[in-house]
């Protein structure tokens, strides 16, 4: 129990290799205690595979999961929740290796297991639909992705309510689908809902809140509404400054420059880019273009 907790916490945090080490020890302990085949060993292989996924070792994770799933079926084990989780994890491992067809098959199989053994409203169904959506987006199938994310969102809201981080993430995924189809009003609606959840649950200075503000600003710019874009970006900048979010400063500054420029406030746009152009080639090019525009305007 302690090894499992230590392994999962380490793998899910910033020490994935520690997680792998703890869970490898747990697997050896389960093999020596329960022997092969046993459900405990299958579950330990599943957990170790999750740690390998967190560590970016997707091929190793896939091998572990295939062995665990094969053992489960061969010996007629009866734990549908574990089986569904293993198929989701295998789908993720294959997806990360760009083995898209195999990943899709895993997610579809997960849905079959959930519908047959756990019920259509089980949380695993929402997870499988969400993963299918991510996979479809990676394959450029935005309409199919939108259907999967919509199903995942509907299930997640029924199971957990609308004020959950996973629900916010699904709204963001749907926004990405709408953006790819240039359905900017729909993208705006989804991002607005995501922002409400992130701000309530994580606070205005959280990286996810800042990120969705920047995306909202992009959508407002697409809708030719730079004033609203500027409002979101100024809040994002204030959050970056207050919490030292230096990794978010660059995209915020570039978007602020675009909003100021669209409003004809070129001096402020230039000021924003001047603070970051030394660290970013695109910002430097944007600054050069703005200076050319200002020179052209002055010459008239």
């Amino acid at each position: 129990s302690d090894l499992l907790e230590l392994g999962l916490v380490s793998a899910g945090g910033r020490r994935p290799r520690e997680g792998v080490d703890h869970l490898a020890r747990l697997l050896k302990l389960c093999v020596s205690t329960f022997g092969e085949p046993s459900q405990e060993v299958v579950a330990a292989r599943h957990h170790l595979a999750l740690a390998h996924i967190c560590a970016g070792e997707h091929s190793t994770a896939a091998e572990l999961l295939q062995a665990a799933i094969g053992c489960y079926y061969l010996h007629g084990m009866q734990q549908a929740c574990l089986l569904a989780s293993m198929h989701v994890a295998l789908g993720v491992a294959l997806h990360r290796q760009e083995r898209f067809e195999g990943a899709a098959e895993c997610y579809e199989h997960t849905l079959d297991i959930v519908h047959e053994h756990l019920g259509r409203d089980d949380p695993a169904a929402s997870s499988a639909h969400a993963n299918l959506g991510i996979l479809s987006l990676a394959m450029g199938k935005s309409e199919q992705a939108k259907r999967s994310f919509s199903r995942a969102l509907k299930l997640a809201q029924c199971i957990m309510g609308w004020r959950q981080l996973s629900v916010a993430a699904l709204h963001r995924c749907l926004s990405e689908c709408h953006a790819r189809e240039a359905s900017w009003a729909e993208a705006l609606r989804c991002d607005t809902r995501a922002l409400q959840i992130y701000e309530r649950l994580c606070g205005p200075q959280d990286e996810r809140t800042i990120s969705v503000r920047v995306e909202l600003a992009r959508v407002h710019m697409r809708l030719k509404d730079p004033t609203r874009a500027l409002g979101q970006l100024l809040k994002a900048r204030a959050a970056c400054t207050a919490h030292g979010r230096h990794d978010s400063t660059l995209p915020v500054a570039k978007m602020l420059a675009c909003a100021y420029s669209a409003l004809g406030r070129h001096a402020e746009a230039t000021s924003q880019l001047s603070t970051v152009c030394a660290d970013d080639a695109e910002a430097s090019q944007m600054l050069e273009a703005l200076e050319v525009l200002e020179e052209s305007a002055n010459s008239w």
Side-chain angles (χ1 to χ4, degrees):
S1 175
D2 289 342
L3 278 174
L4 176 58
E5 186 175 349
L6 272 171
L8 292 178
V9 168
S10 298
R14 297 184 178 181
R15 307 187 307 277
R17 285 305 317 167
E18 282 186 32
V20 168
D21 293 341
H22 287 311
L23 293 168
R25 287 168 56 202
L26 176 63
L27 175 57
K28 288 180 181 178
L29 182 62
C30 287
V31 170
S32 64
T33 304
F34 301 104
E36 296 253 32
S38 68
Q39 192 166 291
E40 289 80 5
V41 171
V42 167
R45 281 204 175 93
H46 172 222
H47 290 128
L48 178 56
L50 293 176
H52 279 295
I53 289 172
C54 292
E57 298 162 351
H58 305 118
S59 178
T60 302
E63 289 174 10
L64 282 165
L65 288 161
Q66 286 163 343
I69 291 169
C71 183
Y72 182 101
Y73 282 122
L74 182 62
H75 298 283
M77 297 177 186
Q78 299 295 318
Q79 179 57 271
C81 187
L82 172 61
L83 183 61
S85 296
M86 289 192 295
H87 277 288
V88 169
L90 180 56
V92 171
L94 295 175
H95 183 178
R96 300 274 173 85
Q97 298 175 73
E98 298 188 356
R99 295 162 64 181
F100 296 141
E101 289 185 8
E105 188 176 310
C106 287
Y107 297 145
E108 294 287 1
H109 202 165
T110 301
L111 288 170
D112 291 339
I113 295 164
V114 170
H115 293 166
E116 183 177 352
H117 299 287
L118 302 174
R120 291 178 176 271
D121 59 350
D122 189 89
S126 178
S127 176
H129 281 303
N131 282 315
L132 272 171
I134 293 167
L135 183 62
S136 298
L137 267 185
M139 298 170 71
K141 300 177 179 178
S142 60
E143 190 60 38
Q144 187 173 320
K146 191 163 60 177
R147 287 196 298 270
S148 293
F149 287 135
S150 295
R151 289 168 183 161
L153 179 60
K154 184 176 180 181
L155 280 168
Q157 287 175 321
C158 289
I159 297 163
M160 298 177 285
W162 71 271
R163 294 177 181 176
Q164 295 291 331
L165 293 179
S166 57
V167 172
L170 287 167
H171 280 303
R172 290 286 297 113
C173 290
L174 273 170
S175 173
E176 174 68 17
C177 294
H178 291 307
R180 291 193 184 195
E181 297 174 348
S183 300
W184 301 113
E186 289 300 310
L188 179 67
R189 180 179 59 83
C190 292
D191 278 335
T192 300
R193 290 179 178 176
L195 177 61
Q196 290 170 347
I197 299 170
Y198 283 134
E199 195 162 28
R200 179 183 290 269
L201 296 182
C202 306
Q205 295 172 6
D206 186 83
E207 187 176 352
R208 288 161 292 191
T209 306
I210 295 169
S211 177
V212 77
R213 282 199 190 281
V214 174
E215 290 307 312
L216 262 175
R218 290 186 203 279
V219 174
H220 281 306
M221 291 294 287
R222 290 287 188 174
L223 290 168
K224 302 187 184 342
D225 192 350
T227 301
R228 289 183 186 276
L230 181 61
Q232 292 294 348
L233 290 164
L234 290 174
K235 290 179 181 179
R237 185 179 66 181
C240 288
T241 302
H243 205 60
R245 294 282 184 189
H246 302 299
D247 52 338
S248 301
T249 301
L250 178 60
V252 170
K254 289 195 287 190
M255 282 300 300
L256 268 169
C258 292
Y260 279 131
S261 181
L263 291 166
R265 295 161 65 174
H266 299 301
E268 288 161 293
T270 300
S271 174
Q272 283 298 313
L273 292 172
S274 297
T275 62
V276 295
C277 66
D279 302 317
D280 185 77
E282 185 183 36
S284 180
Q285 291 168 357
M286 290 171 67
L287 179 59
E288 187 177 341
L290 270 175
E291 289 171 345
V292 169
L293 279 174
E294 280 193 78
E295 287 175 8
S296 299
N298 291 336
S299 68
W300 285 95

